[in-house]
Amino acid sequence: MFRSPFVWDVQIRRQLLDDELTSLRELSYGLWRDVVGRQMWKTTPGRDNRNYRIRIAASWMKDGSDDIRVVVDLQKGAFHRRLLRQSFTITPENRFRE
């Protein structure tokens, strides 16, 4: 059975982003509070033998709020073109909101 290249690419990208989100949700509010305002990057290989860049940024949800918004971008290529983006919000009680 032959797979559509587009569908296969989307599945690979979605899996990479979902795996990263799962691991980030295991981190505590205290850790996220310590990295608010910073950006982090990492490179990870996909099942298609291509390298993808993941950018993670944490920021306060809004001024005066204790909630933290974590944004995860999946990027590709030398110009770091965004392929997918997803975010979540973590509260001081370590609860999540989409």
Side-chain angles (χ1 to χ4, degrees), residues 10-22:
V10 170
Q11 288 174 346
I12 290 169
R13 295 169 185 170
R14 186 78 247 164
Q15 180 185 12
L16 285 170
L17 191 63
D18 287 346
D19 290 347
E20 189 64 28
L21 285 164
T22 299

Side-chain angles (χ1 to χ4, degrees), residues 41-57:
W41 294 270
K42 76 179 210 179
T43 302
T44 186
R47 290 184 296 162
D48 57 358
N49 296 321
R50 295 180 187 161
N51 285 324
Y52 293 87
R53 182 178 178 195
I54 296 175
R55 184 181 72 87
I56 304 156

Side-chain angles (χ1 to χ4, degrees), residues 19-62:
D19 290 347
E20 189 64 28
L21 285 164
T22 299
S23 67
L24 293 174
R25 286 174 179 260
E26 294 175 2
L27 302 175
S28 71
Y29 175 85
L31 184 111
W32 286 117
R33 186 186 59 231
D34 292 343
V35 298
V36 165
R38 299 183 192 165
Q39 293 185 24
M40 298 161 277
W41 294 270
K42 76 179 210 179
T43 302
T44 186
R47 290 184 296 162
D48 57 358
N49 296 321
R50 295 180 187 161
N51 285 324
Y52 293 87
R53 182 178 178 195
I54 296 175
R55 184 181 72 87
I56 304 156
S59 61
W60 297 112
M61 189 65 180
K62 59 184 174 181

Side-chain angles (χ1 to χ4, degrees), residues 36 59-69:
V36 165
S59 61
W60 297 112
M61 189 65 180
K62 59 184 174 181
D63 290 339
S65 173
D66 289 334
D67 294 348
I68 299 171
R69 181 174 186 227

